[in-house]
Amino acid sequence: RFSPDSAFTRGMFLTILARYDGVRTEKGETWYEAGCDWAARNGISDGKNPEQAISREEFAEVLYRYAAYLGKDLLASADLTAYLDAGEVSGEATSAMQWAVGEAIVKGADFRLNPQNGTTRAEACAMLHRFFRRGQAQESLPENCAFRPFASFS
């Protein structure tokens, strides 16, 4: 079912990244178990609360750690004070948000980043597209890639 304004969950996100990294995600009691386990093993996420919506700052944090896992440059940084809600970015997410904004992966609207808001599927798609297009991951899918962009998450 096409629902771009629906919540994007942690499990969805971790499953996408795991598939991109070549993990076969068909195993497990749930559709997201293999992706969450992969993320926890590799320090990308704790893999907990997979059915919970992921906030925009959490999205940036996971993507930041994924880029580090890939050995990519994390030097980009933006001054978040230009955004009216910069103070809402949690201390632990500041570096990740500065990087994601500096790389133009996370974009604001109406001078706001909305870091605590849940990420919609449409926003997640746009941010992942910008991430992969900005050279933060391999330019083409690796041979072992199990990523299936139109695979069902349920």
Side-chain angles (χ1 to χ4, degrees):
R1 171 181 85 194
F2 183 69
S3 49
D5 294 324
S6 292
F8 191 71
T9 67
R10 293 174 178 173
M12 290 175 184
F13 192 22
L14 301 179
T15 299
I16 287 171
L17 296 179
R19 286 178 180 171
Y20 193 85
D21 201 47
V23 175
R24 305 302 304 179
T25 59
E26 299 84 22
K27 305 174 246 164
E29 290 184 32
T30 61
W31 58 266
Y32 50 73
E33 184 177 351
C36 292
D37 290 348
W38 166 85
R41 273 192 322 276
N42 290 293
I44 295 166
S45 169
D46 63 9
K48 297 179 181 177
N49 304 314
E51 294 183 13
Q52 184 175 5
I54 190 167
S55 72
R56 290 170 54 86
E57 77 172 17
E58 289 170 331
F59 192 99
E61 287 179 283
V62 170
L63 211 51
Y64 184 76
R65 289 190 295 267
Y66 180 63
Y69 164 80
L70 294 174
K72 300 302 176 184
D73 177 357
L74 300 175
L75 298 176
S77 184
D79 179 6
L80 302 182
T81 60
Y83 296 93
L84 298 172
D85 57 355
E88 294 176 26
V89 175
S90 66
E92 64 190 30
T94 300
S95 293
M97 284 294 285
Q98 289 172 326
W99 167 80
V101 172
E103 286 287 343
I105 294 166
V106 172
K107 295 186 177 190
D110 299 321
F111 303 102
R112 296 187 166 287
L113 289 170
N114 301 309
Q116 303 304 321
N117 287 11
T119 304
T120 66
R121 290 178 175 188
E123 289 171 331
C125 182
M127 289 187 283
L128 282 167
H129 175 77
R130 290 190 289 263
F131 173 79
F132 288 117
R133 286 299 205 182
R134 297 209 43 96
Q136 294 300 318
Q138 293 97 354
E139 290 300 318
S140 60
L141 295 176
E143 286 183 33
N144 68 335
C145 181
F147 181 64
R148 296 180 313 278
F150 300 107
S152 173
F153 287 109
S154 55

